[in-house]
Structures are given as C-alpha cells and as structure tokens.
Amino acid sequence: MKAIRFDRFGGPEELKPVDLPDPEPGPDEVLIEVHAVSVVPGDWKLRKGLLTAMFPVRPPKVPGRDGAGIVRAMGADVTGFAVGDRVCFTCQHVDQGSYAQLAARPAADVVPAPDGLGFIECAAIMHAGVCAWIAAVETAGVKAGDRVLVQGAAGAIGGMAVQLCKHLGAEVSGTCSERNRDHVAALGCDRIIPYDKVAFETAVSDQDVAIDLVGGDVHTRSYGVLRPGGMLVWLIADKFEDRSAGLDIEVRQAAIVDNPGILKAVVDLASAGRLRPLVSRVLPLDRAAEAHRILEAGENSRGRLVLETQRFAA
Ligand SMILES: NC(=O)c1ccc[n+]([C@@H]2O[C@H](COP(=O)([O-])OP(=O)(O)OC[C@H]3O[C@@H](n4cnc5c(N)ncnc54)[C@H](OP(=O)(O)O)[C@@H]3O)[C@@H](O)[C@H]2O)c1
C-alpha cells in the first residue's frame, strides 16, 4: 500500500511517500481501505518533534489521527462489522497513523459511518467533533441558557464547538477574523467578534463558559469576560501563563482522549444534521507535505483539511 511517513523529526519535507506491506488485521482488528483522513494541528507538531514529552513517538512514523473508509477484512474475534461496511476510525498519535491506503484498527476504535455523509465529510467531523464534545460537554457541561464564548470559532474545532453549544441551547459568542464573519454566522453563532478589529473584552462579558482554542494572550484575557464562578476550558494551543490564582474562575483542561462513545455521539449528531461537517480543502495523499505547510503557516481556516488517501499522483 501507499502511505506517507516521516523517518526523522523535521520540516514538512520529511513527509515522504512510501510503499509499505499491507497490514494484516489481528484477532480483534478491522482492516479498513482508507478513503479520507483529516490533517490536524497535532500532526505537524508531532512531525516537528514538539510533542515528544506528551507522546513518546519515534520515527519512522505514519501520521494521522483518524480516517473513514470501507471494511475489507476482520480478525476472528471481531463482531458487529461486515466486509463492505462504511466506517469511521481513530488512531492514537503513538500508533502508526492513518495517512495510508489501508489501516488495521482495533474494532473498539471503529464506528459505522453515517448514511448520507461521504468519506471526506466523515473525516472532517471526527477529530474536530470529538475535541469540541470533550471541551463543551465533558469538561464544561454546557447546558441550555449558558452564555458561551468560543475563542477561535473559525477553526475546525471552533466550528464544531459553536454548532454543538447551539445544539445544547447555549447563547454563543465567537471570535474569528473579520473575513470569516459570514462563515461563523452561518454556523448559528449569536454574536461574532472579529479579533482583528476589536478587543473581545469590549464586546462580551459575564460569560458562563469560555472555550479557549487559541491560548497565549487570548487565554489570559479570557478570565476578564467570565462571570464570577465561570469556567475557562482550554486545549493545548499557544503557551500561556496561568494567572487564575485568587480569581473566582475555574480553569480546566479539556483532556483529549479518544473515546468510541463520544465518536459515535458526534457521528450521530452529524447524521441527524445537527453538526455540519466543515471541510476547508481536499488534497490527494501524496500532497501531505503541502497540507502540513498550510496548517503550520496558520493558513488553514473554516474547517478541516482532508487528504483523499486513494488519490496518489506520484
Ligand atoms: N490535545 C489537545 O489539547 C488538542 C487537541 C486538538 C487540538 N488542539 C489545539 O487546538 C487548537 C485549535 O485546533 P483546530 O484544529 O481548530 O485549529 P485550526 O482549524 O487550525 O484553527 C485555528 C483557528 O484559530 C483562529 N485564530 C487564530 N488566532 C486567533 C485569535 N487571536 N482569536 C480568535 N481566533 C484565532 C483562526 O481564525 P481565523 O482563520 O479567523 O484567523 C483559525 O481559524 C490548535 O492549537 C490545536 O493544536 C489541542
């Protein structure tokens, strides 16, 4: 099979097309013909060697956190799947990843793909939707009537968080660049705050929850727009200094751990039309290096960049 691999940490040019033996599914594994995978910020950070303290990864490494495709074979102990099923799956950063034409994954990491969504849409929804769910539902416990600020609403996770919080009945404000105002409004966001025009502190206050997908200075400034007893939920983004000591603000990390139950909940919401997949761009598998360059330069916006894994020009 064709795959993309880096053999040492470094720049996007380290991502090289390789021919690898087709994987054999173990007794509890499903062999999937992969059609689409999402490219997430963690992929380039890992390739650059920035995440080794958190994920003990050593090259050679095939990147990729998720994928969507068709079941081609199964191990003897697998139940609940059949050859030909359309499925979505996740991979851990520490596993061999999904930038490949075939993947053998434990059945526990595989869920049925919803009817009505293509593989590209499935890939766009998975990691971003799971991260948004863990931030909004598991960590913040957002409920109807809450006032929620999403910092980074035009990003892949931010777009899912806006839709999810609206679905939960919250009043949602979101920060994005002015050029993305219409995009974020179309997700149902009640108040759009263009961070390149105004300081968000002048536009919003007394929030129950802020979901911080940006970090750095944005993280620190977010304390000021929360009500007493409010909650600031963060994902690992730009480094920030924790200045919450002595403030009546609860600061919690959204710990992103793959969970098939959450993946299924996200996929079901998409299937019901409650979460719209957001695809920023689609590239063939052998342009993975270009995809990483785009993300690393901060040029990706309005959803997930997706690689089509069966398209391989080289
Ligand atoms: N384990 C973890 O903790 C974990 C897991 C997943 C992701 N993450 C992190 O979460 C972050 C978001 O991920 P993602 O996949 O959604 O990234 P993404 O799709 O690349 O989105 C980044 C977005 O950030 C927005 N942005 C940049 N500066 C901003 C500012 N000052 N105020 C408001 N928005 C701003 C940009 O909006 P415009 O386009 O409008 O400029 C862009 O759309 C990344 O840093 C990623 O590494 C952490």
Side-chain angles (χ1 to χ4, degrees), residues 210-264:
I211 296 176
D212 170 29
L213 302 166
V214 181
D217 173 49
V218 166
H219 176 96
T220 311
R221 288 165 51 211
S222 294
Y223 300 140
V225 300
L226 286 160
R227 67 163 169 80
M231 190 189 296
L232 176 53
V233 172
W234 59 277
L235 271 74
I236 301 162
D238 282 352
K239 281 201 175 64
F240 62 86
E241 202 180 316
D242 189 336
R243 300 211 184 127
S244 60
L247 297 178
D248 185 12
I249 300 290
E250 190 174 352
V251 179
R252 276 199 203 166
Q253 180 180 6
I256 305 304
V257 179
D258 287 348
N259 173 324
I262 295 177
L263 180 60
K264 182 163 183 330

Coordinates of all heavy atoms in Angstrom, one line a residue, residues 210-264:
A210 N -15.9 30.0 28.8 CA -15.1 30.4 27.6 C -14.4 29.1 27.2 O -13.8 28.4 28.0 CB -14.2 31.5 27.9
I211 N -14.4 28.8 25.9 CA -13.7 27.6 25.4 C -12.5 28.2 24.6 O -12.7 28.9 23.6 CB -14.6 26.8 24.5 CG1 -15.7 26.1 25.3 CG2 -13.7 25.7 23.8 CD1 -16.7 25.3 24.5
D212 N -11.3 28.0 25.1 CA -10.1 28.7 24.5 C -9.4 27.7 23.6 O -8.7 26.8 24.1 CB -9.2 29.1 25.7 CG -7.9 29.6 25.1 OD1 -7.8 30.0 24.0 OD2 -6.8 29.4 25.9
L213 N -9.4 28.0 22.3 CA -8.7 27.2 21.3 C -7.5 27.9 20.7 O -7.0 27.5 19.7 CB -9.7 26.8 20.2 CG -11.0 26.0 20.7 CD1 -12.1 26.0 19.6 CD2 -10.6 24.6 21.1
V214 N -7.2 29.0 21.4 CA -6.1 29.9 20.8 C -4.9 29.9 21.8 O -3.7 29.8 21.4 CB -6.6 31.3 20.6 CG1 -5.5 32.2 20.0 CG2 -7.8 31.2 19.6
G215 N -5.1 30.1 23.1 CA -4.0 30.1 24.1 C -3.4 31.5 24.1 O -3.9 32.5 23.6
G216 N -2.2 31.5 24.7 CA -1.4 32.7 24.8 C -2.1 33.8 25.5 O -2.8 33.6 26.5
D217 N -2.0 35.0 24.9 CA -2.6 36.2 25.5 C -4.2 36.1 25.5 O -4.8 36.6 26.4 CB -2.2 37.3 24.5 CG -2.8 38.6 24.8 OD1 -2.9 39.0 26.0 OD2 -3.4 39.3 23.9
V218 N -4.7 35.4 24.5 CA -6.2 35.2 24.5 C -6.7 34.4 25.7 O -7.7 34.8 26.3 CB -6.6 34.5 23.1 CG1 -8.0 34.0 23.2 CG2 -6.3 35.4 21.9
H219 N -5.9 33.5 26.1 CA -6.2 32.7 27.3 C -6.3 33.6 28.5 O -7.3 33.7 29.2 CB -5.2 31.6 27.5 CG -5.4 30.8 28.8 ND1 -6.1 29.6 28.8 CD2 -5.1 31.1 30.1 CE1 -6.2 29.2 30.1 NE2 -5.6 30.1 30.9
T220 N -5.3 34.4 28.7 CA -5.2 35.2 29.9 C -6.3 36.3 29.9 O -6.9 36.5 30.9 CB -3.8 35.9 29.9 OG1 -2.8 34.9 29.7 CG2 -3.6 36.6 31.3
R221 N -6.5 36.9 28.8 CA -7.6 37.9 28.7 C -9.0 37.3 28.9 O -9.9 38.1 29.2 CB -7.4 38.6 27.3 CG -6.2 39.5 27.3 CD -5.9 40.0 25.8 NE -7.0 40.5 25.2 CZ -7.3 40.4 23.8 NH1 -6.4 39.7 23.1 NH2 -8.3 40.9 23.3
S222 N -9.1 36.0 28.6 CA -10.5 35.4 28.7 C -11.0 35.4 30.2 O -12.2 35.4 30.4 CB -10.5 34.0 28.2 OG -10.2 34.0 26.8
Y223 N -10.1 35.4 31.2 CA -10.6 35.5 32.6 C -11.6 36.6 32.7 O -12.6 36.5 33.4 CB -9.5 35.7 33.6 CG -8.4 34.6 33.6 CD1 -7.0 35.0 33.7 CD2 -8.7 33.3 33.5 CE1 -6.1 34.0 33.7 CE2 -7.7 32.3 33.5 CZ -6.4 32.7 33.6 OH -5.4 31.7 33.6
G224 N -11.2 37.8 32.1 CA -11.9 39.0 32.3 C -13.4 39.0 31.8 O -14.1 39.9 32.1
V225 N -13.7 38.1 30.9 CA -15.1 38.2 30.4 C -16.0 37.1 31.0 O -17.1 36.9 30.5 CB -15.1 38.0 28.8 CG1 -14.3 39.2 28.2 CG2 -14.6 36.7 28.4
L226 N -15.5 36.4 32.0 CA -16.3 35.4 32.6 C -17.0 35.9 33.9 O -16.4 36.8 34.5 CB -15.4 34.2 33.1 CG -14.9 33.3 31.9 CD1 -13.7 32.5 32.3 CD2 -16.0 32.4 31.5
R227 N -18.1 35.4 34.2 CA -18.8 35.8 35.4 C -18.1 35.2 36.6 O -17.4 34.2 36.4 CB -20.3 35.4 35.4 CG -20.5 33.9 35.4 CD -21.9 33.5 35.8 NE -22.1 32.0 35.6 CZ -21.8 31.1 36.5 NH1 -21.1 31.4 37.6 NH2 -22.0 29.8 36.2
P228 N -18.3 35.7 37.8 CA -17.7 35.0 39.0 C -18.2 33.6 39.0 O -19.4 33.3 38.8 CB -18.3 35.8 40.2 CG -18.6 37.2 39.6 CD -19.0 37.0 38.2
G229 N -17.3 32.6 39.2 CA -17.7 31.2 39.2 C -17.7 30.6 37.8 O -18.1 29.4 37.7
G230 N -17.4 31.4 36.8 CA -17.4 30.9 35.4 C -16.2 30.0 35.2 O -15.4 29.8 36.0
M231 N -16.3 29.3 34.0 CA -15.3 28.3 33.7 C -14.5 28.6 32.4 O -15.1 28.9 31.4 CB -15.9 26.9 33.6 CG -14.9 25.8 33.5 SD -15.7 24.2 33.1 CE -16.7 24.0 34.6
L232 N -13.2 28.5 32.5 CA -12.4 28.6 31.3 C -11.8 27.2 30.9 O -11.1 26.6 31.7 CB -11.2 29.6 31.6 CG -10.2 29.8 30.5 CD1 -10.8 30.2 29.2 CD2 -9.2 30.9 30.9
V233 N -12.2 26.8 29.8 CA -11.8 25.4 29.3 C -10.7 25.6 28.2 O -11.0 26.4 27.3 CB -13.0 24.6 28.8 CG1 -12.5 23.4 28.1 CG2 -14.0 24.3 29.9
W234 N -9.6 24.9 28.3 CA -8.5 25.1 27.3 C -8.1 23.8 26.7 O -8.1 22.8 27.4 CB -7.4 25.9 27.9 CG -6.7 25.3 29.1 CD1 -7.1 25.3 30.4 CD2 -5.5 24.4 29.1 NE1 -6.2 24.6 31.2 CE2 -5.3 24.0 30.4 CE3 -4.7 24.0 28.1 CZ2 -4.2 23.2 30.8 CZ3 -3.6 23.1 28.5 CH2 -3.4 22.8 29.8
L235 N -7.7 23.9 25.5 CA -6.9 22.8 24.8 C -5.5 23.3 24.6 O -5.2 24.5 24.7 CB -7.5 22.5 23.4 CG -8.7 21.5 23.4 CD1 -9.9 22.1 24.0 CD2 -8.9 21.0 22.0
I236 N -4.6 22.4 24.4 CA -3.2 22.8 24.2 C -3.0 23.5 22.9 O -3.2 23.0 21.8 CB -2.3 21.5 24.2 CG1 -2.5 20.8 25.5 CG2 -0.8 21.9 24.0 CD1 -2.0 19.3 25.5
A237 N -2.8 24.8 23.0 CA -2.5 25.7 21.8 C -1.3 26.5 22.1 O -0.3 25.9 22.5 CB -3.8 26.5 21.5
D238 N -1.3 27.8 21.9 CA -0.2 28.6 22.2 C 0.1 28.6 23.7 O -0.9 28.6 24.5 CB -0.4 30.1 21.7 CG -0.1 30.2 20.3 OD1 0.3 29.2 19.6 OD2 -0.5 31.3 19.7
K239 N 1.3 28.6 24.1 CA 1.7 28.6 25.6 C 1.0 29.8 26.3 O 1.0 30.9 25.7 CB 3.2 28.7 25.7 CG 3.9 27.4 25.5 CD 5.3 27.4 26.2 CE 6.0 26.1 26.1 NZ 6.3 25.7 24.7
F240 N 0.6 29.6 27.5 CA 0.1 30.7 28.3 C 0.6 30.6 29.7 O 1.0 29.5 30.2 CB -1.5 30.7 28.2 CG -2.1 29.5 28.8 CD1 -2.4 29.4 30.2 CD2 -2.4 28.4 28.0 CE1 -2.9 28.3 30.7 CE2 -3.0 27.3 28.5 CZ -3.3 27.2 29.9
E241 N 0.5 31.8 30.4 CA 0.8 31.8 31.8 C -0.5 31.7 32.6 O -1.4 32.4 32.3 CB 1.5 33.1 32.1 CG 2.4 33.1 33.3 CD 3.0 34.5 33.5 OE1 3.5 35.0 32.5 OE2 3.0 35.0 34.7
D242 N -0.6 30.7 33.5 CA -1.8 30.6 34.3 C -1.9 31.7 35.4 O -1.1 31.7 36.3 CB -1.8 29.2 35.0 CG -3.2 28.9 35.6 OD1 -3.9 29.8 35.9 OD2 -3.5 27.7 35.7
R243 N -2.8 32.6 35.2 CA -2.9 33.7 36.2 C -4.2 33.5 36.9 O -4.8 34.5 37.4 CB -2.9 35.0 35.5 CG -1.6 35.2 34.7 CD -1.2 36.7 34.7 NE 0.0 36.8 33.9 CZ 0.1 37.7 32.9 NH1 -0.9 38.5 32.5 NH2 1.3 37.8 32.2
S244 N -4.7 32.3 37.1 CA -6.1 32.1 37.7 C -6.0 32.2 39.2 O -7.1 32.3 39.8 CB -6.7 30.8 37.2 OG -5.9 29.7 37.6
A245 N -4.8 32.1 39.8 CA -4.8 32.0 41.3 C -5.5 33.2 41.9 O -5.2 34.4 41.4 CB -3.3 32.0 41.7
G246 N -6.3 33.0 42.8 CA -7.0 34.1 43.5 C -8.2 34.6 42.8 O -9.0 35.4 43.3
L247 N -8.5 34.1 41.6 CA -9.7 34.5 40.8 C -10.8 33.5 41.1 O -10.5 32.3 41.2 CB -9.4 34.6 39.3 CG -8.3 35.6 38.8 CD1 -8.2 35.5 37.3 CD2 -8.8 37.0 39.2
D248 N -12.0 34.0 41.0 CA -13.2 33.1 41.2 C -13.5 32.5 39.8 O -14.6 32.7 39.3 CB -14.3 33.9 41.8 CG -15.5 32.9 42.1 OD1 -15.3 31.7 42.1 OD2 -16.6 33.5 42.4
I249 N -12.6 31.9 39.2 CA -12.7 31.3 37.9 C -12.2 29.9 37.9 O -11.1 29.7 38.4 CB -11.9 32.1 36.8 CG1 -12.3 33.5 36.7 CG2 -11.9 31.4 35.4 CD1 -13.6 33.8 36.1
E250 N -12.9 28.9 37.4 CA -12.4 27.6 37.3 C -11.7 27.4 36.0 O -12.4 27.6 34.9 CB -13.6 26.6 37.5 CG -13.1 25.2 37.7 CD -14.2 24.2 38.0 OE1 -15.4 24.6 38.2 OE2 -14.0 23.0 38.0
V251 N -10.5 27.0 36.0 CA -9.7 26.7 34.8 C -9.5 25.2 34.6 O -9.0 24.6 35.5 CB -8.4 27.5 34.8 CG1 -7.6 27.2 33.5 CG2 -8.6 29.0 35.0
R252 N -10.0 24.7 33.5 CA -9.9 23.2 33.3 C -9.4 22.9 31.9 O -9.8 23.5 30.9 CB -11.4 22.6 33.3 CG -11.9 22.3 34.7 CD -13.0 21.3 34.6 NE -13.9 21.4 35.7 CZ -15.1 20.8 35.8 NH1 -15.5 20.2 34.7 NH2 -15.8 20.9 36.9
Q253 N -8.5 21.9 31.9 CA -8.1 21.5 30.5 C -9.1 20.5 30.0 O -9.6 19.6 30.7 CB -6.7 20.8 30.7 CG -6.2 20.3 29.4 CD -4.8 19.6 29.5 OE1 -4.3 19.4 30.6 NE2 -4.3 19.2 28.3
A254 N -9.4 20.6 28.7 CA -10.2 19.6 28.0 C -9.2 18.5 27.6 O -8.4 18.7 26.7 CB -10.9 20.2 26.8
A255 N -9.1 17.4 28.3 CA -8.2 16.3 28.0 C -8.7 15.5 26.9 O -9.7 14.8 27.0 CB -8.0 15.5 29.3
I256 N -8.0 15.6 25.7 CA -8.4 14.9 24.5 C -8.0 13.5 24.5 O -6.8 13.2 24.3 CB -7.9 15.7 23.3 CG1 -8.3 17.2 23.3 CG2 -8.5 15.0 22.0 CD1 -9.8 17.5 23.5
V257 N -8.9 12.6 24.8 CA -8.6 11.2 24.8 C -9.7 10.5 23.9 O -10.9 10.8 24.0 CB -8.8 10.6 26.2 CG1 -8.5 9.1 26.2 CG2 -7.9 11.3 27.2
D258 N -9.2 9.7 23.0 CA -10.2 9.0 22.1 C -11.2 8.2 22.9 O -10.8 7.5 23.8 CB -9.4 8.1 21.0 CG -8.7 9.0 20.0 OD1 -9.0 10.2 19.9 OD2 -7.9 8.4 19.3
N259 N -12.4 8.3 22.5 CA -13.5 7.5 23.2 C -14.5 7.2 22.1 O -15.2 8.1 21.6 CB -14.0 8.5 24.3 CG -15.2 7.9 25.0 OD1 -16.0 7.2 24.4 ND2 -15.3 8.2 26.3
P260 N -14.7 5.9 21.9 CA -15.6 5.5 20.8 C -17.0 5.9 21.1 O -17.8 6.2 20.1 CB -15.5 4.0 20.8 CG -14.5 3.5 21.7 CD -14.0 4.7 22.5
G261 N -17.4 6.0 22.4 CA -18.8 6.5 22.7 C -19.0 8.0 22.2 O -20.0 8.3 21.7
I262 N -17.9 8.8 22.5 CA -18.0 10.2 22.0 C -18.0 10.3 20.5 O -18.7 11.0 19.9 CB -16.9 11.0 22.7 CG1 -17.1 11.0 24.2 CG2 -16.9 12.4 22.1 CD1 -15.9 11.8 24.9
L263 N -17.1 9.5 19.9 CA -17.0 9.4 18.4 C -18.4 9.1 17.9 O -18.9 9.8 16.9 CB -16.0 8.4 18.0 CG -15.8 8.3 16.5 CD1 -15.4 9.7 15.8 CD2 -14.8 7.3 16.1
K264 N -19.1 8.1 18.4 CA -20.4 7.7 17.9 C -21.4 8.8 18.1 O -22.2 9.1 17.3 CB -20.8 6.4 18.6 CG -22.2 5.9 18.1 CD -22.5 4.5 18.4 CE -23.8 4.1 17.8 NZ -24.8 5.1 17.6

